[in-house]
Amino acid sequence: MSVPPVVPHHIAIVMDGNGRWATRRFLPRLAGHKQGVDSLRRCARACVQRGVAVLTVFAFSSENWNRPVDEVSGLMELLAMALAREVPQLKKDGVRLYFVGERTGLSPKVREGLARAEAATAENTRLVLNVCFNYGGRWDIAQAAASLAARGESITEASLHGAMGMAHVPDPDLVIRTGGEMRISNFLLWQAAYSELFFSDRLWPDFDESALDEAIAAFSCRERRFGKTSEQIVSVHPAPVRG
């Protein structure tokens, strides 16, 4: 008899590979991003089914403004369409949306859309879905420190953590990056200090339920010590029992 895998409370994902997925199919890059929205919908549903409480995704980094103008404008239009199409179903599914990132550089239309989506799902409790949009880990630390300084508060680990964009959820247990790259690209630099990392060769549009289960299974086999030795802790990830 096998032991069921330990499911992470909080999974964070760098959704990489949309553009390459489209290029390999001789499609415009935006077609890959549209397919990526479908993959996110599928992943969020799978997280609910598996008992994950928090899902955080890297949708648009502060560095992505440097991409071609037509791709950036297409992404903004795609965001607006996705909000209109997806929010009603997310509300029905019990998913609560948070958008984490700098909003001052966004258009009024986009800012209003983000606020409406958050308000529409504010009562939901089955899954918290954090969408990091116009976000960067360095920006998050800097804005938290600036906020504390402006209020005249001491800057400590606890106060800095509380002033960050992800203060409403615990730190991620598992950070997944798709697309074959092995870096975190300025994503959750503070929050991922003790996260387990999993790198998948699948491009994000191809990341399905089986790929998610593979990442969870890998997480389940790891011993999380948080600076302690194995002898000091009782492992919460026992080796599978084969029967």
Side-chain angles (χ1 to χ4, degrees):
M1 181 178 179
S2 61
V3 176
V6 176
V7 176
H9 180 85
H10 181 177
I11 294 177
I13 305 178
V14 180
M15 305 182 295
D16 192 22
N18 292 330
R20 281 175 286 158
W21 183 92
T23 300
R24 291 177 184 179
R25 290 161 176 78
F26 304 101
L27 298 170
R29 289 176 59 86
L30 193 59
H33 295 299
K34 290 179 179 177
Q35 194 71 26
V37 173
D38 294 339
S39 186
L40 176 55
R41 183 193 311 116
R42 186 170 62 235
C43 185
R45 186 177 299 118
C47 283
V48 170
Q49 294 169 347
R50 285 151 180 77
V52 176
V54 183
L55 173 63
T56 299
V57 296
F58 205 4
F60 188 85
S61 76
S62 49
E63 290 80 18
N64 286 156
W65 292 107
N66 297 319
R67 292 190 174 187
V69 175
D70 58 343
E71 182 175 350
V72 172
S73 61
L75 284 168
M76 295 301 155
E77 292 177 8
L78 178 60
L79 173 65
M81 289 188 296
L83 289 174
R85 185 180 69 182
E86 303 294 340
V87 169
Q89 188 60 49
L90 290 173
K91 184 176 180 180
K92 290 180 182 178
D93 292 342
V95 177
R96 181 171 187 176
L97 272 170
Y98 285 89
F99 291 92
V100 182
E102 177 58 70
R103 299 195 189 187
T104 56
L106 303 176
S107 71
K109 178 182 178 181
V110 170
R111 291 200 303 269
E112 291 168 9
L114 301 185
R116 284 197 302 269
E118 289 179 331
T121 61
E123 302 301 319
N124 291 347
T125 58
R126 292 191 72 189
L127 177 74
V128 172
L129 174 57
N130 300 305
V131 179
C132 292
F133 193 85
N134 197 23
Y135 172 90
R138 290 178 175 178
W139 163 84
D140 198 7
I141 295 170
Q143 67 82 26
S147 176
L148 292 172
R151 298 197 299 263
E153 298 181 23
S154 298
I155 297 178
T156 65
E157 285 194 22
S159 65
L160 200 60
H161 182 85
M164 287 189 179
M166 298 281 290
H168 58 286
V169 292
D171 291 343
D173 303 292
L174 173 64
V175 175
I176 300 169
R177 180 171 184 144
T178 65
E181 305 289 355
M182 295 188 180
R183 56 180 178 270
I184 57 175
S185 297
N186 199 21
F187 182 49
L188 303 182
L189 297 181
W190 177 277
Q191 296 86 351
Y194 279 100
S195 302
E196 296 296 321
L197 305 180
F198 183 86
F199 299 99
S200 172
D201 288 331
R202 297 200 196 193
L203 303 178
W204 174 244
D206 295 326
F207 193 85
D208 56 13
E209 292 87 349
S210 65
L212 178 65
D213 288 337
E214 180 184 359
I216 292 174
F219 170 85
S220 186
C221 294
R222 299 183 189 179
E223 182 182 72
R224 307 185 73 201
R225 297 190 295 274
F226 299 97
K228 298 180 180 180
T229 66
S230 296
E231 291 74 20
Q232 287 178 295
I233 63 172
V234 176
S235 175
V236 295
H237 308 308
V241 176
R242 304 187 184 278

